[in-house]
């Protein structure tokens, strides 16, 4: 009888390196350092996030069942992740039954190749796009450009970012870091036939963009979209947006190609009821988003006559396989967690180096693309948080982002092997596990007063501790520890006095 080798189970692949935008060029602390130097950026982001935050609180507080809605959203997404393969197959069958074509892309490279081939088949060298984070994640525009195909973003904020040769800084408001006068300058510089007298008020800027885009809508035969939700039981795709440009994209061209992350599935059409309340309130602070477009396959004589759906993995199966990390896939990309994050508010989105910035980006990016040791920029993202918990409170699907960040920090420490920080923690643990050692360590720390000198603070520590003093001073250690003060005459006197204060009739002696 021959031996049977079952082999070892292997971890699903992450997003490939070098494709798309899931890994920055530098570590978060270095990137944040540049961004913090930009006072205008901090002002722009602070103003925008505070405005959206206030609106969100107003429209969520007016709903008596907001917490129940959050629970329902969380439960539906948890159910989806538990039976994703089955729901995806149901979804695929429903899309095909309604005249669509389904393509499966294991990673960014495959997705880019599929979309490029589909566009080339139409004979067009231009495409219009409705805002899609999935295509940003895989770097589709840049790939199409190498193939001689120009992609035009039609979401106004995306268009500003594209014309500014910039990168998005926010999930929902990609140009959040730009103010009106900066946008005016970009339009004057980059838009053909723009009126040189263009002002910087929103109405004039929107009119200029509308004129530019209207021509593209009428003449471009191919559109590429993302999807907010895909409904398994009907094969319906959904895009929610504020401007109507997305709807033009989704209805006017002959061919529509949708790139959707496999986690965007909802089981039934009825589930939309929950998410169409959660999403606009959490993202823009509106009761309902102005445009909700839904389409199912193709409809003869109405809308695009050819519909392709590209289902993108790109590390999602790897995240799903991680018992803790799979919770991050519940995200509906509302951006509420960004708008309340004190770290994001000061650094902006570029510092994260990924399509997904802010608290959820710090979780999702390492999940999708991996953390390859201590020198990988992605391994610094889980530390880009104060763990204040504001993101957890704001999240409409109750993703416990702080716990996920702590787990990723743990994984990073495990991967990094022996570091100066790990050794320091080990030493601290050794000292703290014995009262004798701890007392001796406290006495030794008192020597720091000599280093601090008359200033009473230590401004520079030697390596590897110099990272700590690079951004702050350490106050001189106190003259005595709490324990030695407690044992001193002064400590005893203070205790007696406190007891007399608590019991005015007492002589300060303990009752027998
Ligand atoms: S993690 Fe929650 S709050 Fe943040 S974008 Fe996703 S759904 Fe919104």
């Amino acid at each position: 009888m021959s031996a049977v080798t079952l082999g070892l189970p292997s971890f699903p692949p992450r997003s490939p390196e070098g494709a798309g935008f899931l890994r920055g060029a530098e570590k978060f602390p270095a990137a944040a350092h540049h961004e913090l130097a930009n006072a205008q950026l901090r002002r722009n982001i602070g103003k925008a996030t505070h405005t959206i935050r206030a609106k969100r609180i107003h429209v969520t507080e007016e709903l008596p069942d907001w917490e129940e809605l959050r629970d329902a959203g969380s439960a539906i997404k948890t159910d989806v992740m538990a039976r994703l393969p089955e729901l995806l197959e149901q979804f695929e069958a429903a899309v095909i039954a309604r005249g669509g074509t389904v393509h499966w892309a294991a990673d960014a490279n495959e997705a880019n190749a599929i979309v490029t081939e589909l566009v080339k088949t139409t004979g067009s060298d231009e495409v219009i796009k409705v805002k899609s984070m999935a295509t940003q994640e895989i770097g589709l525009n840049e790939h199409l450009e190498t193939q001689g195909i120009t992609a035009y973003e039609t979401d106004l904020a995306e268009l500003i970012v594209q014309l500014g040769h910039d990168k998005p800084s926010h999930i929902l408001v990609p140009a959040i870091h730009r103010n009106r006068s900066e946008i005016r300058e970009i339009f004057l510089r980059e838009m053909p036939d723009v009126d040189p007298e263009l002002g910087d008020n929103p109405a004039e800027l929107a009119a200029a963009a509308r004129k530019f885009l209207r021509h593209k809508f009428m003449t471009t035969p191919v559109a590429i979209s993302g999807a907010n939700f895909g409904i398994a039981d009907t094969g319906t795709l959904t895009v929610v947006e504020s401007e109507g440009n997305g709807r033009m994209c989704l209805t006017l061209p002959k061919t529509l190609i949708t790139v959707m992350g496999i986690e965007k599935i909802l089981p039934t059409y009825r589930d939309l009821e929950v998410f169409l309340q959660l999403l606009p309130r959490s993202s823009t602070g509106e009761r309902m988003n102005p445009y909700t477009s839904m389409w199912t396959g193709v409809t003869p004589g109405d809308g695009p006559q050819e519909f392709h759906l590209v289902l993108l993995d790109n590390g999602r199966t790897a995240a799903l396989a991680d018992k803790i990390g799979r919770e991050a896939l519940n995200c509906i990309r509302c951006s509420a967690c960004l708008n309340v994050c004190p770290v994001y508010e000061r650094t902006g989105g570029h510092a994260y180096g990924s399509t997904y910035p802010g608290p959820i980006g710090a979780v999702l990016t390492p999940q999708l693309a991996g953390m390859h040791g201590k020198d990988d920029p992605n391994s610094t993202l889980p530390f880009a948080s104060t763990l204040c918990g504001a993101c957890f409170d704001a999240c409409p699907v109750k993703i416990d982002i702080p716990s996920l960040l702590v787990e990723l920090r743990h994984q990073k420490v495990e991967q990094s092997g022996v570091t100066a920080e790990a050794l320091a923690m080990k030493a601290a643990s050794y000292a703290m596990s014995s009262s004798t050692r701890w007392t001796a360590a406290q006495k030794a720390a008192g020597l720091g007063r000599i280093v601090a000198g008359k200033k009473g603070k230590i401004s520079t520590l030697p390596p590897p501790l110099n990272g700590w003093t690079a951004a702050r001073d350490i106050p001189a250690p106190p003259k005595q520890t709490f324990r030695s003060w407690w044992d001193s005459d002064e400590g005893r006197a203070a205790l007696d006095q406190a007891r007399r204060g608590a019991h005015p009739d007492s002589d300060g002696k303990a009752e027998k």
Side-chain angles (χ1 to χ4, degrees), residues 397-430:
V397 286
K398 296 197 167 177
I399 299 175
D400 185 356
I401 298 174
S403 296
L404 297 179
L405 288 168
V406 170
E407 169 56 22
L408 285 172
R409 290 180 186 192
H410 168 74
Q411 290 178 14
K412 195 254 169 170
V413 170
E414 295 276 299
Q415 284 181 12
S416 300
V418 181
T419 61
E421 189 184 2
L423 287 175
M425 288 299 160
K426 222 171 191 161
S429 157
Y430 177 72

Side-chain angles (χ1 to χ4, degrees), residues 28-217:
F28 181 83
H33 202 70
H34 312 314
E35 301 298 315
L36 283 167
N38 186 342
Q40 181 66 54
L41 176 135
R42 285 208 308 280
R43 267 196 298 278
N44 295 348
I45 292 182
K47 185 163 183 275
T49 54
H50 280 252
T51 307
I52 303 172
R53 197 191 299 185
K55 281 173 71 184
R56 180 181 63 82
I57 289 171
H58 176 69
V59 296
T60 55
E61 280 180 350
E62 69 185 13
L63 273 191
D65 60 349
W66 178 247
E67 287 308 315
E68 285 82 358
L69 274 170
R70 289 178 76 202
D71 287 335
S74 176
I76 292 168
K77 293 296 283 189
T78 303
D79 171 49
V80 166
M81 296 314 149
R83 50 193 190 100
L84 192 56
E86 155 201 338
L87 290 172
L88 282 168
E89 283 181 18
Q90 188 189 2
F91 182 49
E92 178 188 35
V95 172
I96 293 171
R98 294 297 300 267
T101 307
V102 177
H103 311 258
W104 296 84
D107 60 29
N109 292 331
E110 269 190 38
N112 285 336
I114 292 167
V115 175
T116 305
E117 194 49 43
L118 290 171
V119 177
K120 281 186 175 168
T121 306
T122 68
S124 176
D125 60 1
E126 288 191 344
V127 297
I128 47 174
K129 285 184 67 209
V130 46
K131 190 179 165 198
S132 158
M133 301 213 71
T135 61
Q136 274 167 25
E137 173 190 323
I138 61 176
L140 180 65
N141 288 11
E142 291 73 11
H143 180 80
L144 289 175
E145 204 176 321
T146 66
Q147 301 296 308
I149 299 165
T150 308
Y152 292 98
E153 295 290 347
T154 63
D155 174 87
L156 180 53
E158 288 282 350
L159 181 67
I160 293 164
V161 168
Q162 187 180 37
L163 293 178
H165 308 288
D166 200 355
K167 291 217 179 102
S169 181
H170 189 275
I171 290 181
L172 196 83
V173 199
I176 196 169
H177 55 303
R178 299 287 197 182
N179 63 19
R180 289 184 205 173
S181 63
E182 288 173 298
I183 295 168
R184 174 180 172 271
E185 276 167 33
I186 291 171
F187 281 10
L188 284 173
R189 198 174 61 232
E190 302 284 339
M191 252 181 205
D193 306 326
V194 72
D195 179 357
E197 299 299 315
L198 179 72
D200 69 359
N201 67 63
E204 275 186 82
L205 294 171
R210 189 178 303 124
K211 188 170 158 225
F212 173 76
L213 288 174
R214 191 59 54 113
H215 178 70
K216 295 292 171 203
F217 289 136

Side-chain angles (χ1 to χ4, degrees), residues 45-46 48-50 52-53 56 170 172-173 176 282-284 334-342 344-345 358-359 394:
I45 292 182
T49 54
H50 280 252
I52 303 172
R53 197 191 299 185
R56 180 181 63 82
H170 189 275
L172 196 83
V173 199
I176 196 169
S282 303
S283 55
T284 50
C334 72
S335 76
C337 58
L338 277 66
N339 297 332
V340 295
C341 176
Y344 174 85
E345 186 181 323

Side-chain angles (χ1 to χ4, degrees), residues 200-418:
D200 69 359
N201 67 63
E204 275 186 82
L205 294 171
R210 189 178 303 124
K211 188 170 158 225
F212 173 76
L213 288 174
R214 191 59 54 113
H215 178 70
K216 295 292 171 203
F217 289 136
M218 304 306 284
T219 57
T220 311
V222 190
I224 298 174
S225 87
N228 288 98
F229 305 106
I231 319 285
D233 68 348
T234 59
T236 304
L237 278 299
T238 314
V239 162
V240 299
E241 39 124 12
S242 300
E243 297 164 1
N245 290 339
R247 177 160 294 178
M248 304 279 265
C249 264
L250 295 165
T251 51
L252 290 176
K254 287 197 190 108
T255 301
L256 173 61
I257 303 166
T258 297
V259 181
M260 186 185 106
I262 54 173
E263 82 285 16
K264 294 290 185 79
I265 286 279
L266 296 180
T268 69
Y269 201 82
R270 181 85 199 263
D271 295 320
L272 269 179
E273 169 187 336
V274 172
F275 290 94
L276 291 183
Q277 294 182 74
L278 287 175
L279 183 55
R281 282 186 161 84
S282 303
S283 55
T284 50
E286 294 168 297
R287 294 182 184 93
M288 175 53 81
N289 46 281
Y291 295 87
T292 301
S293 300
M294 294 188 217
W295 68 102
T296 314
V298 290
T299 305
D302 185 18
Q305 295 302 291
E306 205 175 322
F307 171 57
H308 294 271
L309 173 65
V310 181
L311 288 168
L312 176 70
D313 188 319
N314 208 35
R316 285 159 174 81
T317 307
L320 191 72
D322 184 307
K323 147 165 125 347
I324 295 173
R326 71 161 52 182
E327 200 183 336
L329 295 179
N330 290 356
C331 173
I332 57 171
R333 314 278 193 272
C334 72
S335 76
C337 58
L338 277 66
N339 297 332
V340 295
C341 176
V343 176
Y344 174 85
E345 186 181 323
R346 281 154 187 86
T347 63
H350 292 162
Y352 297 78
S354 162
T355 298
Y356 304 108
I360 189 59
V363 170
L364 203 51
T365 304
Q367 290 283 342
L368 298 179
M371 296 185 289
H372 306 321
K374 63 181 163 53
D375 293 325
D376 183 351
N378 278 358
S379 69
T380 58
L381 292 178
F383 297 85
S385 169
T386 61
L387 300 182
C388 67
C391 48
F392 187 18
D393 292 342
C395 179
V397 286
K398 296 197 167 177
I399 299 175
D400 185 356
I401 298 174
S403 296
L404 297 179
L405 288 168
V406 170
E407 169 56 22
L408 285 172
R409 290 180 186 192
H410 168 74
Q411 290 178 14
K412 195 254 169 170
V413 170
E414 295 276 299
Q415 284 181 12
S416 300
V418 181

